[in-house]
Amino acid sequence: MARGVNYILVAVLAIQIGRGAEGAEADRQGALGAVAGKPGGEAVLWAIAVGFAGLALWRLAEVAYGQAGPEGTKPTKRLISLARAIVYGVICGSVVAFVTDSGGGTSGGQQSSDEQSKGWTARVMDQTGGRWLVLLIGVGVVVAGVVAIVNAVRRRFLRHLKTGRMSEATQRLVESLGVPGRSARGVVICAVGGFLISAAVSYDAGKAKGLDDTLRETATTSAGPWPLFAIAVGLIAFGAYSIFEARFRDVQPAKAT
């Protein structure tokens, strides 16, 4: 549910950017800032931090006991879970740092996703072979995005849900949210990877972009802000899907054979 709330907030900020709002940042920092500025925002941020901590611990449990499903104990599955646990742990840490540094009011000393992406890319490319490492990471991110889109279209996400506990109407709703939502997320992942590839090829860390700049770029095409609006709607769908996933996700570890 924390993941779903995060994506919905980012999507709302993206819509504001498309409408020409000043100062909006469509990334995690922007989302946290938007929540912090509301009554009770600090309590909500702590709840989001607890949610991402739960995600990290769940993925670590999958490393130890295996994912749900017949192939959940494979080493590759455990490694994927470990990578996700690290990502969610970092997100949890960033939320906690945001609240404690800013007192729940402003972004404090926290960097935006764009600043983090450019800084990280520059540091890596300064190392021997770093340019090629950034290129490989960019290609890997694009591949991950493509896989996410393909799996969304093929509705493979249903394999991880307890569809037997859903009514027919609920399953149709989950599919109608999951396909466009997970596809939109995959498109954003591909775009982020594409900018990493561009930064490596041109040897210019400034071309690396975080989530905020990636979404802003979609509003600069000849089609105007409409591609950004479409992606934002898709991310809202993914956020809503995530809430359903919290209810119906199959988390029973596979038994080792």
Side-chain angles (χ1 to χ4, degrees):
M1 290 185 72
R3 185 186 69 181
V5 170
N6 180 69
Y7 272 96
I8 291 172
L9 289 171
V10 168
V12 170
L13 292 170
I15 292 173
Q16 292 180 5
I17 289 173
R19 296 177 60 188
E22 297 291 336
E25 290 186 11
D27 59 7
R28 187 169 62 253
Q29 290 303 114
L32 298 179
V35 173
K38 306 299 181 184
E42 186 171 348
V44 174
L45 292 180
W46 280 114
I48 291 174
V50 170
F52 278 110
L55 276 168
L57 291 172
W58 166 41
R59 293 301 187 180
L60 286 175
E62 289 184 335
V63 175
Y65 302 109
Q67 296 183 12
E71 299 180 347
T73 56
K74 283 188 173 182
T76 53
K77 296 287 188 179
R78 295 179 189 268
L79 285 174
I80 291 172
S81 292
L82 177 61
R84 289 171 173 167
I86 293 172
V87 170
Y88 290 134
V90 169
I91 294 175
C92 175
S94 72
V95 177
V96 172
F98 181 95
V99 180
T100 55
D101 287 350
S102 68
T106 63
S107 60
Q110 296 294 308
Q111 291 182 316
S112 69
S113 61
D114 304 311
E115 293 170 332
Q116 292 172 357
S117 180
K118 290 178 174 60
W120 172 85
T121 304
R123 288 193 294 272
V124 173
M125 290 203 300
D126 281 343
Q127 308 303 315
T128 303
R131 180 181 182 184
W132 298 106
L133 178 58
V134 171
L135 179 62
L136 288 174
I137 292 174
V139 171
V141 172
V142 170
V143 170
V146 172
V147 170
I149 295 171
V150 171
N151 287 343
V153 174
R154 296 180 63 184
R155 294 169 170 76
R156 297 191 68 179
F157 56 88
L158 291 175
R159 300 187 306 172
H160 301 290
L161 303 177
K162 298 176 181 177
T163 55
R165 296 189 177 182
M166 299 180 188
S167 66
E168 185 176 342
T170 299
Q171 183 168 335
R172 285 199 301 268
L173 177 58
V174 170
E175 288 187 41
S176 67
L177 293 171
V179 173
R182 298 183 75 93
S183 295
R185 183 170 177 250
V187 168
V188 173
I189 292 172
C190 285
V192 171
F195 286 124
L196 279 176
I197 293 173
S198 176
V201 170
S202 62
Y203 206 45
D204 181 4
K207 291 188 176 181
K209 298 184 185 299
L211 179 56
D212 179 56
D213 262 6
T214 298
L215 292 173
R216 287 178 188 273
E217 284 293 318
T218 65
T220 62
T221 66
S222 58
W226 297 109
L228 177 58
F229 290 150
I231 291 175
V233 171
L235 294 180
I236 290 174
F238 180 74
Y241 162 82
S242 296
I243 294 172
F244 277 101
E245 183 176 310
R247 170 66 179 83
F248 294 106
R249 177 82 185 201
D250 182 7
V251 295
Q252 184 65 38
K255 293 182 178 180
T257 57

